[in-house]
Amino acid sequence: MGGKAGVKRGELQRPGTQEIKMGELPLDINIQEPRWDQGTFLGRARHFFTVTDPRNLLLSGAKLEAARNIVQNYRAGVVTPGLTEDQLWRAKYVYDSAFHPDTGEKVVLIGRMSAQVPMNMTITGCMLTFYRKTPTVVFWQWVNQSFNAIVNYSNRSGDAPISVRQLGTAYVSATTGAVVTALGLKSFTKHLPPLIGRFVPFAAVAAANCINIPLMRQRELQVGIPVTDEAGKKLGYSVTAAQQGIFQVVISRIGMAIPAMAIPPVIMDTLEKKDFLKRRPWLGAPLQVGMVGFCLVFATPLCCALFPQRSSIHVSRLEPELRAQIHQQNPSIKVVYYNKGL
């Protein structure tokens, strides 16, 4: 898959060569962008179903390296012989699932987007199962926030690097917020119907997301994020765009948790009253984990797709200084674009 084995850009331009006759891939396929139209919810959903596919975790190191070689060679103008367009896109998504887009480093296994469903399935299932005793509440909220810290660090933006101090502040604050919310609501719901108590973990997770994400992206709230015109030309930095992007991410993260943390508790509350589970109480945890996993398989990509990755904001909503700067550069620009993050 090296350069000598491929078809170079110059060779593709010569008519009548063997490569053209064999139907080699053109070099104008834009694998920098997702395969499907990101202007529609369906296109975004198809993209995120591929990105969060847990099967990518089972790929060997050799297959990951092979995918990286295909992608890097193609970007360098070298086409692997016999490569089809579907194989190129498959390699792109395998590469994206395991390697950081800015640094090119291989992401730790549990920090990859493809680990979201299996990891959250296990952690959320345990939070919903072991919610009655204080030590287990504290333990699973701590595990959840530790996992979130790894994910947030692994998927950090290269334009806005996260310092160890920022990471530690977000981690401690989110964990404290989640535990305090969980224990406070646990105490408050003690005299309410048992079903109400089952929703305490969801409230804690929602509270932690509202703390964790803004703290993890505090640099963006201080200096802003890049905004561009439709063609991708950078026009400046906007704190207002950062606020809107972070708000969208918080909504998406909470949305991901709703089906997994709202549906299983209702079902389990009914099942635990039946003789079947009363005789087999050990089945409670695996049943709950399985239901959570089923919900997350759909909720994770669909909620990631709620808002476009490349979001937009009207120029009139930007900071006065940036608004004046954009008007000076190009008075016809009415809308600017930015990367909201995940």
Side-chain angles (χ1 to χ4, degrees), residues 191-214:
H191 304 294
L192 296 176
L195 178 59
I196 303 299
R198 290 180 179 272
F199 291 99
V200 167
F202 168 68
V205 167
N209 277 328
C210 293
I211 298 169
N212 196 345
I213 297 169

Side-chain angles (χ1 to χ4, degrees), residues 16-132:
T17 62
Q18 183 181 7
E19 287 74 27
I20 292 294
K21 289 179 182 177
M22 291 175 63
E24 292 288 356
L25 276 182
L27 285 163
D28 59 356
I29 300 172
N30 185 9
I31 58 172
Q32 296 292 112
E33 299 291 334
R35 185 174 190 177
W36 298 282
D37 180 13
Q38 297 301 284
T40 66
F41 177 76
L42 181 60
R44 296 194 296 271
R46 293 183 71 181
H47 167 68
F48 282 110
F49 266 107
T50 306
V51 168
T52 60
D53 188 346
R55 291 175 297 179
N56 289 332
L57 294 174
L58 303 176
L59 297 173
S60 66
K63 288 186 177 179
L64 295 178
E65 288 299 324
R68 176 158 71 170
N69 288 337
I70 289 173
V71 170
Q72 291 182 341
N73 283 347
Y74 187 83
R75 287 173 177 170
V78 180
V79 180
T80 303
L83 186 70
T84 67
E85 185 173 349
D86 284 341
Q87 289 171 336
L88 174 63
W89 282 111
R90 173 60 183 157
K92 175 233 178 354
Y93 275 105
V94 168
Y95 173 79
D96 287 350
S97 77
F99 296 92
H100 192 279
D102 295 318
T103 66
E105 298 172 352
K106 188 181 289 186
V107 176
V108 63
L109 195 69
I110 64 172
R112 300 173 191 173
M113 286 302 291
S114 47
Q116 285 287 297
V117 171
M119 289 299 297
N120 277 323
M121 176 179 81
T122 305
I123 295 171
T124 303
C126 289
M127 281 196 293
L128 293 175
T129 302
F130 307 110
Y131 69 94
R132 292 184 176 92

